[in-house]
């Protein structure tokens, strides 16, 4: 069998503050994809990290009277702690202030310059520091950043430009011959239309920012943080000669928030075309978690700490909720009440209950647990696989949970508490096999819960190829409830 590779990335997060639930959302989604591919037997590389340069971080460091380096060093640990707490199985954590990364960026800029794609000019326009984004007069909305609504500042300085305009046709051809590159489909139109309207060259250096990668062609300039940041996806692999680069590039999917889709779907492939490096296979733009329709974020004062939530409700309830509450590409409101409702009605009442009632019956039974597969038709493995390949964990979870529901219905229909002997053995066989398979299928989403189920069934962790009914030895042992029901009535729907 040919072993496939799968390279998935999250955006690298600005280290101006500790992570919030919006960051956790994207990282958990990437973790689910990475774990799913490991389950398939693919060779996986999962990259996350921190975006440490730029004006925003420089300002945050100044405000607490630290040097930028001291400041970023103090924040990075918080990201790593939270990812550990949320069971994020990354293979590599990149920091853009790492000299290896800075060196890669310098080498590539020289390559792009040699290609004739960089020229000196003068930039006059607006800059949104929190988003680290340049805007023109026409793009502003009521004089503010069109993306986040915050104040912008006037920038008027000498700058080097990248000839993005040169790549318009090549990008359009690329999108045409790689129809899955821009994902999800409903977001691709916006990018296509903007590229068709024409591309302007982009400013790639600043003269006023010190905390940045030095611009290799002119010591009075430093590199614009976004250009530095994008190259993390290849510097982490050891471009140009590293084994990981040879093995894993091009990326199979860059998961990015919708507001940074342009950087990834347009600027990034153009920079790669210019550098003679293959573009990624897919950029998938996720939606936003909102509270009362507003994006969750520190500056809006509605940031939610994912670690606190996971301690309150369990890591897996949070992971499940984030992927089951909204399709990955859509925006969706976050509320604790909705989380508790899913925890009660889906995790406790469906999954937990199925395990609990099965284990109680199996512990009491002293005959042979063997039988004929009856519940196997209720699993639609192929559909789950297709949905996961399409980066649709939301619907894949629905299919997995319809299998769990079918198993609960089977219990109700068979009334095993009225059975004994071979008949009971047959029902138990079907339930235990279903649970063993459920445990494999949910493991990318809820790895801790999957381990708990395996422990109660007395089986080892399986992979996707083990998701078929067969003969298995069970050493069942009742454990704690997987999820305890909570009272949602005191929660008002907002974040407590
Ligand atoms: N540093 C850049 C990314 C560079 S990638 C080469 C950046 N950082 S960020 O920290 O501001 O945002 C990182 C990611 O978190 C983005 O994809 C963004 O969409 C995501 N989220 C931040 N708040 C979010 C929500 N409220 N909901 C969902 N995702 C959100 O941009």
């Amino acid at each position: 069998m040919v072993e496939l590779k799968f390279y998935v990335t999250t955006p690298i997060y600005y280290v101006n503050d500790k992570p919030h639930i919006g960051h956790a959302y994207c990282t958990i989604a990437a973790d689910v994809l990475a774990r799913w591919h490991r389950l398939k037997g693919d060779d996986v590389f999962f990259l996350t990290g921190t975006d440490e340069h730029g004006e925003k971080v420089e300002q945050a460091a100044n405000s607490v009277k630290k040097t930028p380096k001291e400041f970023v060093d103090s924040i990075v640990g918080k990201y790593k702690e939270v990812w550990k707490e949320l069971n994020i199985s990354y293979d590599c954590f990149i920091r853009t202030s790492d000299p290896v990364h800075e060196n890669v960026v310098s080498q590539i800029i020289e390559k792009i310059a040699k290609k004739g794609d960089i020229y000196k000019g003068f930039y006059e326009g607006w800059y949104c520091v929190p988003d680290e984004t340049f805007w023109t007069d026409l793009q502003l909305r009521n004089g503010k950043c069109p993306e986040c609504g915050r104040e912008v500042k006037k920038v008027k300085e000498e700058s080097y430009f990248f000839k993005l305009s040169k790549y318009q046709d090549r990008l359009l051809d690329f999108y045409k011959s790689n129809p899955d590159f821009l994902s999800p489909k409903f977001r691709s139109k916006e990018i296509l239309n903007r590229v068709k309207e024409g591309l302007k060259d982009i400013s790639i250096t600043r003269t006023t920012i010190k905390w940045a990668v030095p611009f290799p062609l002119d010591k009075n300039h430093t590199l614009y943080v976004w250009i530095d940041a994008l190259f993390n996806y290849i510097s982490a692999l050891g471009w140009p000669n590293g084994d990981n680069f040879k093995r894993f590039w091009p990326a199979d999917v860059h998961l990015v928030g919708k507001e940074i889709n342009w950087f990834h779907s347009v600027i990034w492939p153009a920079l790669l075309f210019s550098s003679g490096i293959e573009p990624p296979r897919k950029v998938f733009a996720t939606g936003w978690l909102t509270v009362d329709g507003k994006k969750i974020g520190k500056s809006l004062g509605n940031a939610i700490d994912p670690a606190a939530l996971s301690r309150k409700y369990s890591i897996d309830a949070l992971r499940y909720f984030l992927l089951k509450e909204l399709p990955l590409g859509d925006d969706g409101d976050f509320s604790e009440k909705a989380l508790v409702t899913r925890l009660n009605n889906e995790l406790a009442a469906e999954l937990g209950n199925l395990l609990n009632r099965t284990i109680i019956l199996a512990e009491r039974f002293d005959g042979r647990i063997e039988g004929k597969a009856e519940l196997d038709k209720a699993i639609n493995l192929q559909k789950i696989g297709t949905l996961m390949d399409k980066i649709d964990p939301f619907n894949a979870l629905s299919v997995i949970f319809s299998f769990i529901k079918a198993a609960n219905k089977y219990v109700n229909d068979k009334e095993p508490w009225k059975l004994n002997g071979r008949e009971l053995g047959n029902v138990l066989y079907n339930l235990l096999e279903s649970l063993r398979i459920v445990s494999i299928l949910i493991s990318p989403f809820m790895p801790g819960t999957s381990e708990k189920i395996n422990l109660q069934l007395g089986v080892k962790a399986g992979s996707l190829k083990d998701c078929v009914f067969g003969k298995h030895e069970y050493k069942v042992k009742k454990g704690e409830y997987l999820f305890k029901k909570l009272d949602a009535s005191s929660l008002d729907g907002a974040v407590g």
Side-chain angles (χ1 to χ4, degrees), residues 101-129:
H101 167 79
E102 296 190 356
N103 188 24
V104 163
V105 174
S106 284
Q107 283 183 58
I108 295 199
I109 293 298
E110 304 229 24
K111 250 173 109 78
I112 294 177
K114 267 200 198 115
K115 183 90 183 266
D117 286 346
I118 293 179
Y119 63 90
K120 195 177 189 175
F122 192 82
Y123 178 80
E124 186 169 354
W126 301 94
Y127 196 74
C128 170
V129 179

Side-chain angles (χ1 to χ4, degrees), residues 10-16 20-27 50-52 56 79 96 130-132 225-226 228-233 255-260 263-264 286-291 294-298 302 331-332:
T10 70
I12 47 172
Y13 301 100
Y14 289 127
V15 281
N16 58 318
H20 62 64
I21 191 86
H23 304 133
Y25 176 55
C26 195
T27 309
T50 40
D51 191 353
E52 303 192 356
K56 171 168 163 149
Y79 272 86
T96 54
D131 283 349
E132 299 280 14
V225 60
W226 260 102
D228 147 22
L230 286 165
F231 285 104
N232 89 87
Y233 301 127
L255 272 191
V256 304
K258 62 177 185 177
E259 84 284 17
I260 58 171
F263 287 99
H264 286 83
T286 62
W288 285 345
L289 288 181
T290 56
V291 170
K294 286 201 187 76
K295 185 185 176 205
I296 296 173
K298 190 203 159 210
N302 60 0
D331 295 339

